[in-house]
Amino acid sequence: MERIFVFANEAGSVAELTSGAKASGASVALVTSGKTYGCADEVFAYPEEVSLVSVLSAVSELIVSQKPQLLLCESGSDGRLLAGYTAAKLGVSPLCDVMSLSCTADAVETTRLVYGGSAVKTEQCAFPAVAIVCAGTFEASDAAAEPQVTQINCSGSCSVELAGTSAVEASTVNLAAAKRVVGVGRGLASADNIPAAEKLAAALGAEIGCTRPVAEEEHWYSKDRYIGVSGVMIKPNFYLAIGISGQIQHMVGVNQTNVICAINKDENAPIIKQADYTLIGDVNAVLPAIIEKLG
């Protein structure tokens, strides 16, 4: 392995992907519009205010011209777009939703969930290869010395015209990297119980996540906190599920957790059989009691 390209804009993804690439012993080149460079040896940057769509051709052509053995892309809309576009130019298929990755002298081996999370598929691909990597796959390490930054010449690279912009609520949650997570389901019964769940999460030093119905039907939390097969995949050391039944679509998102604890008033809920520890009881009584014990 001689050279790996990484595409990422989010600071957390930059740190994880460049660390993982660096661990292979390869030279690491980062393509980004962000301001953090992780463990990259060199950086190719495009303006932060410019959409990747408008510079896609220039960015992809740069990567292909450098002839890396491997391109790692963050698992977001821009990462998927660049991965597919670049893979087509290289005549390969992108490896999607990668959960683990290792390299040999002439190939890369990856794993990902299939069949709704009921099985793990191992794939091996010869170089050059393109992989879309799930957050949390690699451990972030300390940043390297400040690398040389080269600006990508994006002039005239695309005919896409910006029609307008609209503000969106910024998200600061990074569930995939969280070591402790408290998950909230509709068994919480009422939005009035959310402050208690958040107080418990704060006492545990945990992030708050939720099920799909909580995000998309109840609207108690934003969609970036939804854990499940079509949401965020997490692998914390500890997951506390409050009022969550444990349907397969949700449990796929937490099946890499070290310890799962469930609080549920239904002793026959599917999550009871999948949890390491369970507490059967009504959240209205259980949450205040736990919070009091935790001080």
Side-chain angles (χ1 to χ4, degrees):
M1 178 67 70
E2 297 176 2
R3 202 176 195 204
I4 296 177
F5 257 73
V6 169
F7 171 80
N9 290 325
E10 296 294 330
S13 297
V14 170
E16 291 176 11
L17 294 183
T18 56
S19 296
K22 196 68 176 176
S24 69
S27 171
V28 180
L30 171 67
V31 176
T32 186
S33 65
K35 304 298 183 185
T36 57
Y37 306 133
C39 298
D41 298 301
E42 58 183 322
V43 175
F44 297 92
Y46 64 93
E48 187 175 10
E49 67 276 8
V50 173
S51 167
L52 176 68
V53 174
S54 63
V55 297
L56 181 60
S57 179
V59 172
S60 182
E61 286 174 5
L62 165 71
I63 295 172
V64 172
S65 69
Q66 297 287 317
K67 298 181 179 180
Q69 283 107 329
L70 181 62
L71 167 63
L72 303 179
C73 294
E74 65 181 351
S75 183
S77 56
D78 282 354
R80 293 177 183 276
L81 175 62
L82 181 65
Y85 197 84
T86 306
K89 286 192 172 186
L90 292 171
V92 301
S93 296
L95 301 164
C96 300
D97 301 321
V98 168
M99 295 167 36
S100 70
L101 182 148
S102 61
C103 297
T104 63
D106 54 6
V108 58
E109 185 172 284
T110 63
T111 61
R112 64 185 177 96
L113 294 176
V114 292
Y115 303 124
S118 59
V120 176
K121 182 177 183 178
T122 299
E123 298 173 289
Q124 192 173 74
C125 181
F127 297 133
V130 177
I132 301 165
V133 184
C134 294
T137 298
F138 301 116
E139 289 287 338
S141 57
D142 293 336
E146 197 73 14
Q148 179 180 347
V149 180
T150 301
Q151 297 298 320
I152 300 175
N153 181 10
C154 302
S155 59
S157 60
C158 183
S159 60
V160 173
E161 180 181 347
L162 178 63
T165 60
S166 59
V168 296
E169 182 181 349
S171 173
T172 57
V173 64
N174 185 4
L175 286 178
K179 297 304 180 184
R180 298 177 184 177
V181 176
V182 170
V184 172
R186 279 197 293 197
L188 199 63
S190 168
D192 293 338
N193 289 320
I194 286 178
E198 292 181 343
K199 188 173 183 178
L200 176 56
L204 294 171
E207 281 281 8
I208 285 278
C210 66
T211 59
R212 183 172 184 173
V214 165
E216 297 189 351
E217 296 176 24
E218 304 294 344
H219 303 293
W220 292 347
Y221 285 105
S222 58
K223 293 181 181 180
D224 56 0
R225 292 186 183 272
Y226 152 47
I227 301 167
V229 66
S230 57
V232 182
M233 312 292 281
I234 64 173
K235 50 179 181 180
N237 295 326
F238 175 76
Y239 180 59
L240 174 60
I242 303 175
I244 293 174
S245 64
Q247 299 301 318
I248 182 63
Q249 293 88 346
H250 179 77
M251 298 310 294
V252 165
V254 302
N255 66 4
Q256 296 184 76
T257 302
N258 289 338
V259 176
I260 296 177
C261 181
I263 299 174
N264 204 297
K265 66 179 180 181
D266 181 5
E267 61 183 16
N268 296 314
I271 197 170
I272 301 302
K273 294 182 178 180
Q274 301 182 64
D276 299 289
Y277 301 95
T278 61
L279 196 162
I280 306 300
D282 191 308
V283 295
N284 291 290
V286 170
L287 293 186
I290 295 177
I291 292 169
E292 183 180 357
K293 288 291 184 181
L294 291 174

